[in-house]
Amino acid sequence: MHRRDDRAGSPLCWRWRQKGDPDEPADHALGRSRGGFSTKIHILCDGHGHPLHFSLTAGQVHESTVVDTLLEGVDATLCDGDGEPVAWPVALGGDKGYRADWIDEYLLGLEIVPVIPSKENEDRDARPVAFDREAYRRRNIVERLIGWLKESRRVFSRFEKTAKNFGGMVKMAFIQRYLWCDLQYEY
């Protein structure tokens, strides 16, 4: 015992944690959903399964609230040095969780065709865009990307306490994915 009384000693490491980081969400992207305490990763990828941008939210946050954040984030990252867009999506696929009138209007305003199926309780003919079943079948590309991402131990188990650090691990997994894809196409 290094003290005469029963109180704890001083910490061995005097590192100060930075509190109130402006990039960190208040809930650290943690929340309750049907599956328990979780974080949702919303991913936007190209037609080959290459991740373009992602966003983290708490488990209880609905998917449709992040569509504009994803598109604005990918718009900022897919520009060249002059600010001109390098690539822009022609169509955007999503499941029924992304079905809303404002999403259709938002995507059509950006000249992107929404490939989102209608819900069971709504009139399919009232939508401004016809549903393209063949293009919707390509949505498995993002599902395979998410399945691959779940194989990364640090991502599926979320050891990090803050959303900023967890996002860094997701970016590291994406870097690994890009390096792996480069090796596949090497001659």
Side-chain angles (χ1 to χ4, degrees), residues 110-180:
L110 295 173
E111 298 177 0
I112 300 172
V113 177
V115 185
I116 303 169
S118 299
K119 295 179 184 175
E120 297 295 326
N121 60 354
E122 66 182 354
D123 185 20
R124 290 175 176 85
D125 297 329
R127 291 186 61 188
V129 177
F131 177 65
D132 186 5
R133 189 173 300 275
E134 293 299 318
Y136 184 71
R137 288 186 178 151
R138 295 198 53 197
R139 196 178 66 85
N140 69 48
I141 295 170
V142 73
E143 298 294 339
R144 285 186 280 154
L145 174 63
I146 292 170
W148 174 85
L149 189 60
K150 288 181 181 177
E151 292 178 11
S152 297
R153 184 171 181 244
R154 299 232 21 178
V155 174
F156 85 82
S157 57
R158 185 168 173 166
F159 293 126
E160 287 76 23
K161 292 182 181 180
T162 62
K164 191 174 179 181
N165 290 344
F166 182 62
M169 287 299 131
V170 173
K171 285 181 186 176
M172 289 293 292
F174 287 170
I175 291 169
Q176 179 184 5
R177 171 89 174 187
Y178 276 109
L179 291 174
W180 181 78

XYZ file of all heavy atoms in Angstrom, residues 110-180:
606
model
N -31.580 16.941 -58.304
C -30.151 16.762 -58.562
C -29.889 15.969 -59.836
O -28.740 15.610 -60.115
C -29.500 16.037 -57.380
C -29.485 16.778 -56.052
C -28.959 15.877 -54.944
C -28.645 18.037 -56.147
N -30.941 15.694 -60.607
C -30.879 14.932 -61.850
C -30.382 13.506 -61.618
O -29.601 12.952 -62.400
C -30.018 15.638 -62.891
C -30.567 16.989 -63.287
C -29.677 17.719 -64.266
O -28.615 17.187 -64.646
O -30.049 18.840 -64.651
N -30.857 12.902 -60.514
C -30.563 11.516 -60.180
C -31.887 10.762 -60.190
O -32.864 11.206 -59.596
C -29.901 11.404 -58.785
C -28.593 12.184 -58.739
C -29.663 9.951 -58.424
C -27.987 12.284 -57.366
N -31.908 9.623 -60.850
C -33.129 8.818 -60.909
C -33.232 7.971 -59.643
O -32.332 7.177 -59.358
C -33.111 7.897 -62.151
C -34.342 7.017 -62.180
C -32.977 8.711 -63.411
N -34.299 8.122 -58.853
C -34.449 7.286 -57.660
C -34.911 5.876 -58.034
O -35.877 5.705 -58.771
C -35.509 8.022 -56.840
C -36.231 8.874 -57.797
C -35.315 9.161 -58.932
N -34.201 4.881 -57.563
C -34.554 3.472 -57.778
C -34.911 2.904 -56.411
O -34.146 2.155 -55.808
C -33.403 2.700 -58.450
C -33.830 1.274 -58.763
C -32.931 3.406 -59.689
N -36.071 3.296 -55.922
C -36.541 2.919 -54.595
C -37.938 2.338 -54.758
O -38.808 2.982 -55.351
C -36.570 4.137 -53.652
C -35.181 4.778 -53.574
C -37.062 3.750 -52.278
C -35.145 6.118 -52.899
N -38.184 1.118 -54.275
C -39.512 0.539 -54.441
C -40.553 1.254 -53.585
O -40.239 1.841 -52.551
C -39.334 -0.911 -53.983
C -38.171 -0.878 -53.069
C -37.274 0.224 -53.567
N -41.797 1.188 -54.046
C -42.899 1.790 -53.304
C -43.277 0.900 -52.129
O -43.079 -0.320 -52.154
C -44.114 1.971 -54.205
O -43.806 2.824 -55.274
N -43.844 1.524 -51.117
C -44.330 0.759 -49.977
C -45.641 0.090 -50.351
O -46.291 0.443 -51.330
C -44.519 1.689 -48.778
C -43.224 2.283 -48.287
C -43.471 3.199 -47.125
C -42.189 3.866 -46.693
N -42.384 4.846 -45.641
N -46.046 -0.881 -49.561
C -47.260 -1.640 -49.859
C -48.517 -0.784 -49.775
O -49.487 -1.040 -50.471
C -47.380 -2.813 -48.882
C -46.251 -3.821 -48.994
C -46.229 -4.547 -50.324
O -47.310 -4.789 -50.877
O -45.128 -4.858 -50.806
N -48.524 0.234 -48.927
C -49.735 1.007 -48.681
C -49.839 2.275 -49.524
O -50.653 3.127 -49.230
C -49.820 1.387 -47.200
C -48.652 2.226 -46.754
O -47.712 2.445 -47.500
N -48.710 2.678 -45.512
N -49.031 2.423 -50.571
C -49.100 3.629 -51.390
C -49.324 3.292 -52.859
O -49.041 2.179 -53.308
C -47.844 4.482 -51.232
C -46.582 3.876 -51.746
C -45.387 4.758 -51.503
O -45.540 5.893 -51.036
O -44.278 4.313 -51.791
N -49.829 4.259 -53.589
C -50.128 4.090 -55.010
C -48.841 4.196 -55.817
O -48.169 5.229 -55.811
C -51.136 5.155 -55.445
C -51.576 4.978 -56.875
O -51.409 3.856 -57.410
O -52.095 5.947 -57.458
N -48.484 3.138 -56.504
C -47.247 3.111 -57.279
C -47.316 4.010 -58.513
O -46.306 4.485 -59.008
C -46.935 1.679 -57.680
C -46.526 0.828 -56.505
C -46.337 -0.624 -56.929
N -45.847 -1.425 -55.832
C -46.616 -1.992 -54.914
N -47.920 -1.817 -54.956
N -46.105 -2.713 -53.951
N -48.528 4.221 -59.037
C -48.677 5.043 -60.241
C -48.608 6.534 -59.948
O -48.437 7.331 -60.863
C -50.011 4.721 -60.918
C -50.055 3.278 -61.388
O -48.974 2.745 -61.736
O -51.152 2.681 -61.382
N -48.728 6.937 -58.683
C -48.720 8.359 -58.327
C -47.306 8.922 -58.230
O -47.131 10.130 -58.118
C -49.446 8.567 -57.003
N -46.292 8.073 -58.274
C -44.910 8.538 -58.172
C -44.458 9.182 -59.477
O -44.888 8.789 -60.564
C -43.983 7.377 -57.828
C -44.223 6.895 -56.420
C -43.234 5.863 -56.013
N -41.882 6.379 -56.028
C -40.833 5.598 -55.851
N -40.960 4.314 -55.673
N -39.622 6.122 -55.869
N -43.562 10.171 -59.390
C -43.114 10.855 -60.616
C -42.190 10.006 -61.484
O -41.995 10.302 -62.656
C -42.380 12.089 -60.086
C -41.988 11.748 -58.702
C -43.026 10.796 -58.193
N -41.605 8.931 -60.927
C -40.666 8.092 -61.661
C -41.137 6.644 -61.580
O -41.523 6.171 -60.510
C -39.243 8.206 -61.058
C -38.280 7.283 -61.757
C -38.752 9.622 -61.112
N -41.111 5.944 -62.690
C -41.459 4.529 -62.694
C -40.325 3.733 -62.052
O -39.147 4.070 -62.181
C -41.701 4.049 -64.120
N -40.706 2.672 -61.356
C -39.728 1.831 -60.667
C -39.023 0.922 -61.670
O -39.652 0.226 -62.456
C -40.438 1.011 -59.589
C -39.537 0.048 -58.869
C -38.500 0.524 -58.083
C -39.719 -1.308 -58.982
C -37.666 -0.350 -57.414
C -38.892 -2.189 -58.315
C -37.863 -1.718 -57.535
N -37.691 0.922 -61.662
C -36.874 0.112 -62.561
C -36.395 -1.128 -61.802
O -35.455 -1.065 -61.020
C -35.695 0.932 -63.076
C -34.888 0.200 -64.129
O -35.293 -0.910 -64.537
O -33.866 0.763 -64.551
N -37.063 -2.248 -62.042
C -36.766 -3.483 -61.312
C -35.363 -4.008 -61.632
O -34.668 -4.526 -60.755
C -37.814 -4.529 -61.627
C -37.720 -5.764 -60.770
C -38.874 -6.708 -61.009
N -40.156 -6.105 -60.710
C -40.708 -6.056 -59.504
N -40.050 -6.541 -58.480
N -41.880 -5.510 -59.326
N -34.931 -3.876 -62.884
C -33.608 -4.370 -63.270
C -32.496 -3.581 -62.573
O -31.506 -4.144 -62.128
C -33.436 -4.307 -64.788
C -34.331 -5.254 -65.547
C -34.061 -6.703 -65.191
O -32.874 -7.068 -65.062
O -35.029 -7.469 -65.040
N -32.658 -2.286 -62.486
C -31.652 -1.474 -61.794
C -31.676 -1.750 -60.295
O -30.638 -1.710 -59.632
C -31.904 0.005 -62.052
N -32.853 -2.063 -59.744
C -32.964 -2.341 -58.307
C -32.241 -3.623 -57.935
O -31.743 -3.750 -56.826
C -34.429 -2.427 -57.902
C -34.634 -2.611 -56.416
C -34.364 -1.568 -55.536
C -35.087 -3.814 -55.899
C -34.545 -1.726 -54.188
C -35.270 -3.971 -54.549
C -35.003 -2.933 -53.696
O -35.175 -3.090 -52.346
N -32.140 -4.547 -58.852
C -31.447 -5.803 -58.562
C -29.953 -5.593 -58.344
O -29.290 -6.428 -57.743
C -31.675 -6.794 -59.693
C -33.071 -7.324 -59.695
C -33.263 -8.406 -60.705
N -34.620 -8.899 -60.603
C -35.288 -9.405 -61.599
N -34.734 -9.489 -62.781
N -36.509 -9.824 -61.427
N -29.432 -4.482 -58.807
C -28.011 -4.175 -58.587
C -27.744 -3.620 -57.202
O -26.601 -3.347 -56.847
C -27.535 -3.171 -59.638
C -27.589 -3.777 -61.033
C -26.773 -3.050 -61.993
N -25.416 -2.917 -61.467
C -24.544 -2.054 -61.941
N -24.861 -1.293 -62.941
N -23.342 -1.959 -61.419
N -28.803 -3.466 -56.403
C -28.633 -2.957 -55.048
C -27.860 -3.941 -54.180
O -27.332 -3.594 -53.131
C -29.994 -2.657 -54.418
C -29.925 -1.794 -53.183
C -31.293 -1.505 -52.657
N -31.976 -2.668 -52.167
C -31.843 -3.155 -50.936
N -31.065 -2.558 -50.090
N -32.503 -4.219 -50.567
N -27.735 -5.181 -54.620
C -26.975 -6.160 -53.843
C -25.510 -5.778 -53.739
O -24.805 -6.287 -52.879
C -27.130 -7.561 -54.437
C -26.441 -7.714 -55.774
O -25.290 -7.339 -55.949
N -27.143 -8.264 -56.741
N -25.049 -4.870 -54.589
C -23.652 -4.432 -54.527
C -23.357 -3.773 -53.189
O -22.352 -4.060 -52.539
C -23.330 -3.484 -55.702
C -23.450 -4.239 -57.020
C -21.961 -2.873 -55.556
C -23.387 -3.364 -58.239
N -24.232 -2.899 -52.739
C -24.013 -2.246 -51.449
C -24.240 -3.237 -50.302
O -23.581 -3.157 -49.265
C -24.880 -0.971 -51.294
C -26.336 -1.300 -51.068
C -24.372 -0.092 -50.171
N -25.131 -4.197 -50.488
C -25.335 -5.213 -49.455
C -24.085 -6.069 -49.293
O -23.698 -6.432 -48.174
C -26.539 -6.086 -49.802
C -27.851 -5.342 -49.872
C -28.294 -4.779 -48.537
O -27.844 -5.263 -47.481
O -29.090 -3.826 -48.545
N -23.424 -6.380 -50.403
C -22.174 -7.137 -50.316
C -21.068 -6.313 -49.675
O -20.226 -6.834 -48.939
C -21.749 -7.614 -51.703
C -22.591 -8.781 -52.187
C -22.082 -9.328 -53.482
N -22.563 -8.447 -54.540
C -21.961 -8.297 -55.703
N -20.861 -8.923 -55.965
N -22.472 -7.487 -56.609
N -21.059 -4.994 -49.930
C -20.077 -4.117 -49.298
C -20.287 -4.093 -47.782
O -19.330 -4.170 -47.010
C -20.173 -2.703 -49.866
C -19.303 -1.639 -49.202
C -17.827 -1.966 -49.362
C -19.616 -0.271 -49.745
N -21.524 -4.014 -47.354
C -21.809 -4.021 -45.915
C -21.434 -5.366 -45.307
O -20.879 -5.427 -44.198
C -23.288 -3.672 -45.668
C -23.533 -2.209 -46.041
C -23.688 -3.927 -44.224
C -24.973 -1.810 -46.067
N -21.715 -6.460 -46.017
C -21.312 -7.778 -45.528
C -19.804 -7.885 -45.385
O -19.300 -8.472 -44.420
N -19.071 -7.324 -46.351
C -17.613 -7.322 -46.251
C -17.152 -6.475 -45.070
O -16.223 -6.830 -44.361
C -17.011 -6.788 -47.555
C -15.528 -6.632 -47.470
C -14.592 -7.578 -47.694
C -14.834 -5.451 -47.079
N -13.351 -7.071 -47.486
C -13.468 -5.756 -47.100
C -15.229 -4.166 -46.724
C -12.497 -4.833 -46.782
C -14.263 -3.249 -46.399
C -12.911 -3.580 -46.435
N -17.813 -5.351 -44.868
C -17.424 -4.450 -43.782
C -17.645 -5.104 -42.425
O -16.889 -4.870 -41.484
C -18.219 -3.145 -43.889
C -17.832 -1.999 -42.995
C -16.392 -1.585 -43.270
C -18.757 -0.824 -43.203
N -18.665 -5.939 -42.316
C -18.933 -6.632 -41.051
C -17.886 -7.684 -40.727
O -17.829 -8.164 -39.607
C -20.314 -7.279 -41.088
C -21.434 -6.281 -41.003
C -22.773 -6.977 -41.031
C -23.903 -5.982 -40.960
N -25.208 -6.655 -41.048
N -17.068 -8.044 -41.688
C -15.986 -8.986 -41.418
C -14.816 -8.320 -40.692
O -13.973 -9.011 -40.143
C -15.505 -9.623 -42.718
C -16.532 -10.535 -43.343
C -16.061 -11.120 -44.651
O -14.863 -10.986 -44.981
O -16.893 -11.707 -45.344
N -14.763 -7.015 -40.703
C -13.722 -6.293 -39.960
C -14.102 -6.294 -38.482
O -15.143 -5.771 -38.096
C -13.602 -4.853 -40.453
O -13.196 -4.827 -41.784
N -13.266 -6.875 -37.668
C -13.592 -7.057 -36.253
C -13.793 -5.738 -35.528
O -14.676 -5.597 -34.713
C -12.477 -7.864 -35.584
C -12.771 -8.192 -34.155
C -11.741 -9.174 -33.635
N -12.066 -9.485 -32.268
C -11.296 -9.186 -31.250
N -10.141 -8.582 -31.451
N -11.646 -9.505 -30.032
N -12.983 -4.755 -35.822
C -13.101 -3.471 -35.133
C -14.348 -2.726 -35.535
O -14.806 -1.855 -34.821
C -11.874 -2.606 -35.420
C -10.631 -3.261 -34.933
C -9.763 -2.532 -34.110
N -10.146 -1.408 -33.360
C -9.301 -0.789 -32.592
N -8.079 -1.213 -32.527
N -9.664 0.243 -31.910
N -14.912 -3.048 -36.685
C -16.123 -2.371 -37.135
C -17.362 -3.056 -36.572
O -18.245 -2.405 -36.026
C -16.180 -2.305 -38.670
C -17.495 -1.737 -39.135
C -15.028 -1.472 -39.200
N -17.444 -4.383 -36.673
C -18.670 -5.027 -36.232
C -18.823 -5.044 -34.725
O -19.932 -5.084 -34.211
C -18.813 -6.441 -36.802
C -18.122 -7.525 -36.028
C -18.723 -8.088 -34.908
C -16.906 -8.012 -36.427
C -18.092 -9.088 -34.196
C -16.270 -9.009 -35.728
C -16.865 -9.558 -34.600
N -17.727 -4.969 -33.973
C -17.854 -4.994 -32.517
C -17.773 -3.619 -31.870
O -18.098 -3.477 -30.707
C -16.777 -5.890 -31.923
O -15.506 -5.441 -32.318
N -17.354 -2.615 -32.593
C -17.244 -1.234 -32.133
C -16.569 -1.134 -30.758
O -17.211 -0.961 -29.729
C -18.588 -0.529 -32.098
C -18.346 0.932 -31.739
C -19.464 1.838 -31.913
N -19.065 3.128 -31.364
C -19.677 4.231 -31.558
N -20.740 4.249 -32.287
N -19.261 5.350 -31.044
N -15.255 -1.221 -30.755
C -14.488 -1.058 -29.532
C -14.324 0.412 -29.155
O -14.084 0.722 -27.996
C -13.094 -1.677 -29.677
C -13.115 -3.166 -29.821
C -12.483 -3.777 -30.878
C -13.763 -3.960 -28.894
C -12.487 -5.149 -31.008
C -13.781 -5.334 -29.016
C -13.137 -5.924 -30.074
N -14.454 1.306 -30.110
C -14.205 2.720 -29.860
C -15.390 3.356 -29.137
O -16.536 3.044 -29.405
C -13.948 3.463 -31.175
C -12.606 3.175 -31.777
C -12.541 1.813 -32.434
O -13.601 1.301 -32.788
O -11.441 1.281 -32.549
N -15.083 4.281 -28.243
C -16.142 4.956 -27.483
C -16.748 6.120 -28.250
O -17.918 6.410 -28.107
C -15.587 5.477 -26.158
C -15.216 4.383 -25.194
C -14.723 4.982 -23.899
C -14.335 3.902 -22.928
N -13.850 4.453 -21.670
N -15.965 6.792 -29.047
C -16.466 7.982 -29.734
C -16.770 7.662 -31.194
O -16.183 6.766 -31.799
C -15.423 9.116 -29.685
O -14.248 8.695 -30.361
C -15.103 9.497 -28.252
N -17.703 8.403 -31.748
C -18.071 8.217 -33.151
C -16.929 8.627 -34.070
O -16.755 8.054 -35.151
C -19.325 9.016 -33.477
N -16.145 9.592 -33.656
C -15.016 10.056 -34.466
C -13.980 8.943 -34.641
O -13.512 8.689 -35.748
C -14.392 11.277 -33.797
C -13.394 12.005 -34.630
C -12.964 13.257 -33.918
C -11.936 14.017 -34.711
N -11.500 15.217 -34.016
N -13.656 8.240 -33.575
C -12.702 7.137 -33.653
C -13.288 5.950 -34.408
O -12.590 5.276 -35.163
C -12.269 6.709 -32.258
C -11.399 7.740 -31.592
O -10.881 8.635 -32.240
N -11.241 7.630 -30.291
N -14.579 5.679 -34.200
C -15.224 4.587 -34.915
C -15.276 4.881 -36.414
O -15.041 3.998 -37.237
C -16.629 4.362 -34.369
C -17.359 3.225 -35.015
C -16.877 1.933 -34.919
C -18.516 3.445 -35.727
C -17.539 0.882 -35.521
C -19.192 2.399 -36.334
C -18.694 1.109 -36.227
N -15.545 6.120 -36.782
C -15.517 6.511 -38.188
C -14.129 6.338 -38.782
O -13.990 5.993 -39.957
N -13.100 6.577 -37.981
C -11.733 6.353 -38.433
C -11.470 4.886 -38.740
O -10.778 4.558 -39.709
N -12.048 3.992 -37.941
C -11.893 2.558 -38.201
C -12.639 2.150 -39.468
O -12.175 1.300 -40.231
C -12.395 1.735 -37.008
C -11.494 1.777 -35.819
S -9.879 1.111 -36.246
C -8.830 2.372 -35.615
N -13.791 2.753 -39.708
C -14.531 2.469 -40.945
C -13.715 2.962 -42.138
O -13.610 2.274 -43.161
C -15.933 3.120 -40.907
C -16.643 2.981 -42.232
C -16.772 2.517 -39.799
N -13.092 4.137 -42.020
C -12.245 4.642 -43.105
C -11.045 3.734 -43.335
O -10.647 3.501 -44.476
C -11.763 6.059 -42.783
C -12.823 7.105 -42.955
C -12.280 8.473 -42.642
C -13.400 9.507 -42.675
N -12.909 10.829 -42.289
N -10.470 3.211 -42.269
C -9.348 2.279 -42.418
C -9.785 1.017 -43.159
O -9.051 0.496 -43.994
C -8.769 1.908 -41.050
C -8.011 3.030 -40.384
S -6.510 3.447 -41.264
C -5.549 2.005 -40.984
N -10.979 0.536 -42.867
C -11.502 -0.629 -43.582
C -11.716 -0.297 -45.052
O -11.449 -1.128 -45.929
C -12.801 -1.092 -42.937
N -12.184 0.914 -45.344
C -12.368 1.330 -46.739
C -11.028 1.419 -47.461
O -10.931 1.038 -48.630
C -13.091 2.667 -46.819
C -14.556 2.598 -46.497
C -15.279 3.745 -46.330
C -15.205 1.386 -46.358
C -16.633 3.700 -46.047
C -16.552 1.318 -46.068
C -17.270 2.477 -45.926
N -10.012 1.905 -46.796
C -8.674 1.968 -47.399
C -8.188 0.557 -47.718
O -7.636 0.299 -48.795
C -7.688 2.713 -46.473
C -8.052 4.196 -46.419
C -6.245 2.509 -46.920
C -7.319 4.972 -45.349
N -8.417 -0.354 -46.787
C -8.044 -1.747 -47.025
C -8.802 -2.296 -48.229
O -8.234 -3.013 -49.055
C -8.345 -2.584 -45.792
C -8.014 -4.047 -45.948
C -8.431 -4.856 -44.731
O -9.042 -4.345 -43.810
N -8.100 -6.129 -44.757
N -10.063 -1.941 -48.359
C -10.871 -2.392 -49.503
C -10.294 -1.851 -50.821
O -10.193 -2.580 -51.801
C -12.303 -1.919 -49.313
C -13.218 -2.114 -50.470
C -13.885 -3.435 -50.432
N -14.867 -3.542 -51.495
C -15.681 -4.528 -51.602
N -15.654 -5.473 -50.698
N -16.529 -4.597 -52.584
N -9.924 -0.574 -50.844
C -9.347 0.011 -52.059
C -8.012 -0.631 -52.400
O -7.720 -0.876 -53.570
C -9.190 1.519 -51.922
C -10.437 2.287 -52.247
C -11.166 2.927 -51.254
C -10.899 2.370 -53.551
C -12.319 3.635 -51.557
C -12.043 3.072 -53.868
C -12.750 3.695 -52.869
O -13.888 4.378 -53.179
N -7.177 -0.899 -51.401
C -5.894 -1.544 -51.676
C -6.100 -2.956 -52.180
O -5.391 -3.419 -53.080
C -5.025 -1.541 -50.415
C -4.516 -0.178 -49.970
C -3.789 -0.297 -48.638
C -3.621 0.438 -51.020
N -7.067 -3.672 -51.653
C -7.364 -5.023 -52.098
C -7.868 -5.013 -53.544
O -7.496 -5.858 -54.342
C -8.395 -5.657 -51.171
C -8.736 -7.051 -51.545
C -8.010 -8.179 -51.302
C -9.903 -7.478 -52.245
N -8.655 -9.260 -51.818
C -9.829 -8.868 -52.405
C -11.012 -6.805 -52.756
C -10.806 -9.594 -53.037
C -11.980 -7.543 -53.395
C -11.875 -8.929 -53.524
